[in-house]
Each structure stands twice: as structure tokens, then as C-alpha cells.
Amino acid sequence: MDEGKVHPIASNSGEKLGAIAMPANVIRDADGSSRVILSEPTGCTAEVLLHGGQIVSWKNERREELLFLTNKALWKAGKVIKGGISICFPQCINFGSPEQPGFVRNRLWSVDDSPAPLPPANSRSTVDLLLKSTDDDLKNWPHRLVVIRMAIIPITVVFNTFLCCFGFDGLFRFELRLRISVTAGKLTVIPRVRNVDSKPFSFAVALCSYLSVSDISEVRVEGLETLDYFDNLLQRERYTEQADAITFDGEVERVYLSTPPKIAVIDHEKKRTYVLRKDGMPDAALWNPWDKKAKAMPDFGDEDYRISLCIDSSSIETPIVLKPCEEWKGRQELTAVSSSYCSGQLDPRKVLQGYQY
């Protein structure tokens, strides 16, 4: 099945996780919450909370943490934790910002013991998570008013990011799945959305990934040059990126459109490059609150902006439409490789082509 394309729902026959897939450990904490620990033979690990389906840790074989998670995280039910990797669905109203990320991040997921068929996860530690819509979800969504406006007013990104939380009839039933896999040097997240309703619906989706960096002022992002983007700090106006690479000296909240399948985040001080590969999610959002906004957030440390960068694989500009009995699937892969430099800069062509130094 190709990522990002809509397909009829397949049967559950066929290979599931593969004969030599590594098992996942489910741990119940003292407060009653549950988390899944993934580990693979080289020593790479990941930790996933069932609350929100959120990945809160990813460590390499040297036990170095590669994801950022604030020390001021509010570990309370119903609270979004700033950090890790989490999914925004069915709306992403504020683009890459985690302020209104969709209700699925505040729901308790379950481990899917009978996942729909995907390519086998051989030599990986894998968990499949499942979230189904409930009657309470349906009661909480507004009805037809916005959909009527959509039929009259041309669709813009402002309407898209607002409308995508509604089906064509205002409400919809869905099944949302996440496959999270760890293998040597790689973390893979595969989101899947099924329409189990009797009517079509549309949605937006994003995987918000907080990367751990040495100093945001020493970070550059390559692969987004010359692309159009919406700037959420400037009334969501559309601009074209003019810089050879994106660097940071202040607050950033942008959605880049029609991005390539590979993006490089280069940390000069650590000589580390994160390579993000994605399918089915054509947009990419960047978010860093900088100093003033960081100090104003109760669940974000005053200096956390210095050591983190949020980058989203997303489909925001154009909502994804599913007819009854159709399924959408995306994919995000994160790798962290060592970087070498000439004159203080990494060759972006080698990074984006997937070469390792």
C-alpha cells in the first residue's frame, strides 16, 4: 500500500508483524497509566504512552536521548505534553503549534493485538496502537454551519485548517492506528485512518516531532529552500523561502507546502544530522517559541526553546478525503547520523540523498 493514497480497507489476512519481530513491553505505572517500552538488539529504545499515543523517548545505541521532552511536562490526564512525537488529528488549527492539536492526543489508546496487514517488521521492536471514535466524540463536534460556508466560499488554507475537523455531514466515525517501530538508528511512525462511517469525511493530520538539539541558534534546516510557506506569526500570509537554509534567531511558526520527502535538521555543535523522511504528508511545519513565549507557557521551561525544535510531517493545506470503507496511510522515518563539515557547513545534497558520513 502506498503512503498518502486512499485505498479500500483490506482484510486482516496476510503477514502481520513478521516471525522475528522484537516484542514490546507494556508497563503499568503506579498512577495507573500505561506505557510501552520498545528496544532492539543494538540498544536503541523508544517509550510510548498509551495516553495520547505519544512517543516520549527515543534513544540511540549510546543511550543518547534524541527527542526533546520538557522537564515541566504536566503529567496529568487530559494534558498535552510538550515534547516527544505526537499525532494531531482530525484538525491542526494552529498549523505547527501544539496549542490546538486535535482531541486524539487527550484520549487513551489501546494496543492493537490484531493489526491490519502491513509489511513485516522484521528485526524491529514494534507496537500497534488503536483509537476508535466514540459516541462522545460525535456529540462534541458541531454540525453543518461551517460545511455550508465551505460550499459558498473558495477553500483557503484558513478554512482548510478549520474545516478538516468536520466530515461532510459535520460528524464522522473513524479508526486511527499508529505503528511505531524501532530499529538500529531509526524510528518509524506509520499513521492510518479508516473511514468506518456511512458517509465521506475530510481531515488534516500531523506528526509533531520535538527534536533534541544542542542550541537552536546552531541549527539549520535544509530541504525547504525556495518553497512557499504560511507564516502563523504574520496573519498566515503566504511567502516564499528565500534563504539557502533555515536558521533561527527568533520565534518561528511556519507551514511549508509541497515539501520534499527528505528534510535535514543539522546540529552544528553536536555534529549530528536528523534526517526526516516522510510519505503521504506533503507539508512540513516548524515551531520554536523563543524566549518570551517560552516564559509565558506554564508547561515549558524558560530555556527549553534553546534545546528543542518542533518539526511536523503534515497534511494541512489540502484536507484528506476518505469515502466509506477507504483508508489513508502515511509514514515518517527519523534517523540521526553523524555530520562532518567543511567551512562550517554540511553538504546538503549528501544529506538529502541519504548519505551517511
Side-chain angles (χ1 to χ4, degrees), residues 64-314:
E64 296 170 329
E65 181 59 66
L66 301 174
L67 299 180
F68 165 83
L69 189 71
T70 179
N71 290 327
K72 294 184 68 176
L74 300 178
W75 297 87
K76 298 178 181 179
K79 296 291 184 180
V80 175
I81 301 171
K82 284 187 172 63
I85 300 176
S86 57
I87 187 168
C88 297
F89 172 90
Q91 83 272 34
C92 308
I93 295 177
N94 278 351
F95 299 120
S97 171
E99 299 302 324
Q100 298 187 46
F103 66 87
V104 299
R105 290 171 70 176
N106 293 323
R107 289 277 304 280
L108 183 64
W109 294 58
S110 61
V111 176
D112 189 358
D113 294 325
S114 300
L118 283 173
N122 292 345
S123 300
R124 300 179 181 180
S125 183
T126 297
V127 65
D128 287 273
L129 301 183
L130 172 63
L131 182 67
K132 297 182 179 181
S133 57
T134 66
D135 290 340
D136 288 339
D137 296 332
L138 301 180
K139 292 176 184 177
N140 290 333
W141 293 118
H143 284 272
R144 300 172 179 267
L145 175 61
V146 177
V147 178
I148 294 173
R149 295 179 66 189
M150 182 176 69
I152 298 173
I153 301 175
I155 297 176
T156 66
V157 69
V158 176
F159 279 106
N160 285 344
T161 54
F162 184 68
L163 294 173
C164 59
C165 62
F166 310 114
F168 287 106
D169 199 28
L171 311 169
F172 60 87
R173 297 181 183 275
F174 64 87
E175 291 180 355
L176 176 58
R177 287 175 166 83
L178 287 178
R179 168 168 285 189
I180 302 165
S181 301
V182 175
T183 188
K186 182 185 298 183
L187 177 66
T188 303
V189 183
I190 300 175
R192 307 176 77 171
V193 180
R194 292 184 179 187
N195 183 346
V196 294
D197 212 316
S198 60
K199 55 186 176 291
F201 62 73
S202 60
F203 63 92
V205 65
L207 290 174
C208 301
S209 303
Y210 284 77
L211 304 180
S212 175
V213 300
S214 57
D215 188 330
I216 189 64
S217 63
E218 296 295 325
V219 169
R220 56 191 282 132
V221 178
E222 298 182 349
L224 303 177
E225 308 84 44
T226 74
L227 299 181
D228 286 356
Y229 65 90
F230 290 102
D231 196 324
N232 205 35
L233 302 178
L234 297 173
Q235 293 76 47
R236 296 173 179 157
E237 291 291 332
R238 187 169 184 142
Y239 298 91
T240 299
E241 183 59 62
Q242 302 296 325
D244 293 335
I246 299 165
T247 57
F248 303 90
D249 58 6
E251 183 181 358
V252 172
E253 189 171 348
R254 298 175 180 174
V255 175
Y256 287 83
L257 309 174
S258 301
T259 60
K262 296 180 184 180
I263 300 170
V265 179
I266 304 162
D267 188 334
H268 289 286
E269 186 171 322
K270 286 187 176 180
K271 292 183 170 59
R272 172 187 293 159
T273 296
Y274 294 97
V275 180
L276 184 151
R277 296 175 174 87
K278 59 189 179 67
D279 290 300
M281 294 173 282
D283 306 322
L286 294 178
W287 183 76
N288 185 287
W290 219 248
D291 54 349
K292 291 183 179 180
K293 185 170 287 186
K295 292 177 181 178
M297 293 187 291
D299 57 348
F300 200 74
D302 291 353
E303 298 298 317
D304 281 350
Y305 77 95
R306 294 184 181 274
I307 55 174
S308 65
L309 174 65
C310 183
I311 181 169
D312 298 2
S313 300
S314 55

